[in-house]
PDB file of all heavy atoms in Angstrom:
ATOM      1  N   CYS H 211       5.554  21.921 -15.790  1.00  0.00           N
ATOM      2  CA  CYS H 211       6.749  22.739 -15.613  1.00  0.00           C
ATOM      3  C   CYS H 211       6.541  24.051 -16.373  1.00  0.00           C
ATOM      4  O   CYS H 211       6.060  24.037 -17.501  1.00  0.00           O
ATOM      5  CB  CYS H 211       8.000  22.062 -16.191  1.00  0.00           C
ATOM      6  SG  CYS H 211       8.434  20.483 -15.446  1.00  0.00           S
ATOM      7  N   ARG H 212       6.903  25.157 -15.758  1.00  0.00           N
ATOM      8  CA  ARG H 212       6.800  26.431 -16.469  1.00  0.00           C
ATOM      9  C   ARG H 212       7.627  26.427 -17.764  1.00  0.00           C
ATOM     10  O   ARG H 212       7.138  26.837 -18.826  1.00  0.00           O
ATOM     11  CB  ARG H 212       7.230  27.586 -15.574  1.00  0.00           C
ATOM     12  CG  ARG H 212       7.057  28.961 -16.232  1.00  0.00           C
ATOM     13  CD  ARG H 212       7.712  30.060 -15.409  1.00  0.00           C
ATOM     14  NE  ARG H 212       7.091  30.214 -14.126  1.00  0.00           N
ATOM     15  CZ  ARG H 212       6.050  31.012 -13.875  1.00  0.00           C
ATOM     16  NH1 ARG H 212       5.523  31.717 -14.865  1.00  0.00           N
ATOM     17  NH2 ARG H 212       5.546  31.110 -12.663  1.00  0.00           N
ATOM     18  N   PRO H 213       8.917  25.938 -17.731  1.00  0.00           N
ATOM     19  CA  PRO H 213       9.695  25.905 -18.974  1.00  0.00           C
ATOM     20  C   PRO H 213       9.047  25.029 -20.045  1.00  0.00           C
ATOM     21  O   PRO H 213       9.035  25.395 -21.220  1.00  0.00           O
ATOM     22  CB  PRO H 213      11.046  25.340 -18.524  1.00  0.00           C
ATOM     23  CG  PRO H 213      11.135  25.632 -17.075  1.00  0.00           C
ATOM     24  CD  PRO H 213       9.745  25.532 -16.564  1.00  0.00           C
ATOM     25  N   CYS H 214       8.513  23.872 -19.645  1.00  0.00           N
ATOM     26  CA  CYS H 214       7.874  22.983 -20.629  1.00  0.00           C
ATOM     27  C   CYS H 214       6.664  23.647 -21.261  1.00  0.00           C
ATOM     28  O   CYS H 214       6.466  23.592 -22.480  1.00  0.00           O
ATOM     29  CB  CYS H 214       7.457  21.674 -19.966  1.00  0.00           C
ATOM     30  SG  CYS H 214       8.823  20.609 -19.457  1.00  0.00           S
ATOM     31  N   LEU H 215       5.835  24.285 -20.435  1.00  0.00           N
ATOM     32  CA  LEU H 215       4.621  24.916 -20.939  1.00  0.00           C
ATOM     33  C   LEU H 215       4.972  26.108 -21.838  1.00  0.00           C
ATOM     34  O   LEU H 215       4.345  26.310 -22.882  1.00  0.00           O
ATOM     35  CB  LEU H 215       3.747  25.380 -19.767  1.00  0.00           C
ATOM     36  CG  LEU H 215       2.334  25.850 -20.131  1.00  0.00           C
ATOM     37  CD1 LEU H 215       1.531  24.711 -20.724  1.00  0.00           C
ATOM     38  CD2 LEU H 215       1.622  26.423 -18.912  1.00  0.00           C
ATOM     39  N   CYS H 216       5.989  26.887 -21.433  1.00  0.00           N
ATOM     40  CA  CYS H 216       6.414  28.046 -22.242  1.00  0.00           C
ATOM     41  C   CYS H 216       6.868  27.592 -23.627  1.00  0.00           C
ATOM     42  O   CYS H 216       6.455  28.156 -24.645  1.00  0.00           O
ATOM     43  CB  CYS H 216       7.541  28.802 -21.539  1.00  0.00           C
ATOM     44  SG  CYS H 216       6.997  29.764 -20.112  1.00  0.00           S
ATOM     45  N   LEU H 217       7.709  26.573 -23.673  1.00  0.00           N
ATOM     46  CA  LEU H 217       8.211  26.081 -24.963  1.00  0.00           C
ATOM     47  C   LEU H 217       7.091  25.462 -25.787  1.00  0.00           C
ATOM     48  O   LEU H 217       7.032  25.626 -27.005  1.00  0.00           O
ATOM     49  CB  LEU H 217       9.323  25.057 -24.740  1.00  0.00           C
ATOM     50  CG  LEU H 217      10.662  25.612 -24.253  1.00  0.00           C
ATOM     51  CD1 LEU H 217      11.630  24.479 -23.973  1.00  0.00           C
ATOM     52  CD2 LEU H 217      11.252  26.567 -25.273  1.00  0.00           C
ATOM     53  N   SER H 218       6.182  24.742 -25.120  1.00  0.00           N
ATOM     54  CA  SER H 218       5.078  24.098 -25.826  1.00  0.00           C
ATOM     55  C   SER H 218       4.161  25.135 -26.470  1.00  0.00           C
ATOM     56  O   SER H 218       3.780  25.010 -27.639  1.00  0.00           O
ATOM     57  CB  SER H 218       4.279  23.223 -24.857  1.00  0.00           C
ATOM     58  OG  SER H 218       3.132  22.684 -25.470  1.00  0.00           O
ATOM     59  N   TRP H 219       3.842  26.186 -25.732  1.00  0.00           N
ATOM     60  CA  TRP H 219       2.950  27.221 -26.253  1.00  0.00           C
ATOM     61  C   TRP H 219       3.660  28.164 -27.206  1.00  0.00           C
ATOM     62  O   TRP H 219       3.031  28.762 -28.069  1.00  0.00           O
ATOM     63  CB  TRP H 219       2.322  27.987 -25.092  1.00  0.00           C
ATOM     64  CG  TRP H 219       1.207  27.220 -24.436  1.00  0.00           C
ATOM     65  CD1 TRP H 219       0.784  25.965 -24.750  1.00  0.00           C
ATOM     66  CD2 TRP H 219       0.376  27.658 -23.358  1.00  0.00           C
ATOM     67  NE1 TRP H 219      -0.259  25.590 -23.942  1.00  0.00           N
ATOM     68  CE2 TRP H 219      -0.530  26.613 -23.077  1.00  0.00           C
ATOM     69  CE3 TRP H 219       0.306  28.812 -22.608  1.00  0.00           C
ATOM     70  CZ2 TRP H 219      -1.490  26.711 -22.080  1.00  0.00           C
ATOM     71  CZ3 TRP H 219      -0.649  28.920 -21.615  1.00  0.00           C
ATOM     72  CH2 TRP H 219      -1.536  27.867 -21.349  1.00  0.00           C
ATOM     73  N   GLU H 220       4.964  28.315 -27.048  1.00  0.00           N
ATOM     74  CA  GLU H 220       5.725  29.171 -27.959  1.00  0.00           C
ATOM     75  C   GLU H 220       5.709  28.618 -29.374  1.00  0.00           C
ATOM     76  O   GLU H 220       5.657  29.358 -30.353  1.00  0.00           O
ATOM     77  CB  GLU H 220       7.173  29.284 -27.465  1.00  0.00           C
ATOM     78  CG  GLU H 220       8.054  30.197 -28.304  1.00  0.00           C
ATOM     79  CD  GLU H 220       7.768  31.664 -28.067  1.00  0.00           C
ATOM     80  OE1 GLU H 220       7.013  31.988 -27.120  1.00  0.00           O
ATOM     81  OE2 GLU H 220       8.290  32.492 -28.810  1.00  0.00           O
ATOM     82  N   GLU H 221       5.764  27.297 -29.488  1.00  0.00           N
ATOM     83  CA  GLU H 221       5.805  26.656 -30.799  1.00  0.00           C
ATOM     84  C   GLU H 221       4.411  26.353 -31.350  1.00  0.00           C
ATOM     85  O   GLU H 221       4.271  26.019 -32.523  1.00  0.00           O
ATOM     86  CB  GLU H 221       6.604  25.353 -30.701  1.00  0.00           C
ATOM     87  CG  GLU H 221       8.061  25.575 -30.297  1.00  0.00           C
ATOM     88  CD  GLU H 221       8.778  24.283 -29.974  1.00  0.00           C
ATOM     89  OE1 GLU H 221       8.114  23.226 -30.029  1.00  0.00           O
ATOM     90  OE2 GLU H 221       9.975  24.332 -29.669  1.00  0.00           O
ATOM     91  N   ALA H 222       3.381  26.455 -30.501  1.00  0.00           N
ATOM     92  CA  ALA H 222       2.022  26.107 -30.936  1.00  0.00           C
ATOM     93  C   ALA H 222       1.360  27.282 -31.642  1.00  0.00           C
ATOM     94  O   ALA H 222       1.719  28.444 -31.436  1.00  0.00           O
ATOM     95  CB  ALA H 222       1.178  25.690 -29.730  1.00  0.00           C
TER      96      ALA H 222
END
Side-chain angles (χ1 to χ4, degrees):
C211 299
R212 184 190 296 271
C214 291
L215 190 63
C216 287
L217 288 176
S218 174
W219 283 2
E220 182 75 10
E221 298 170 358

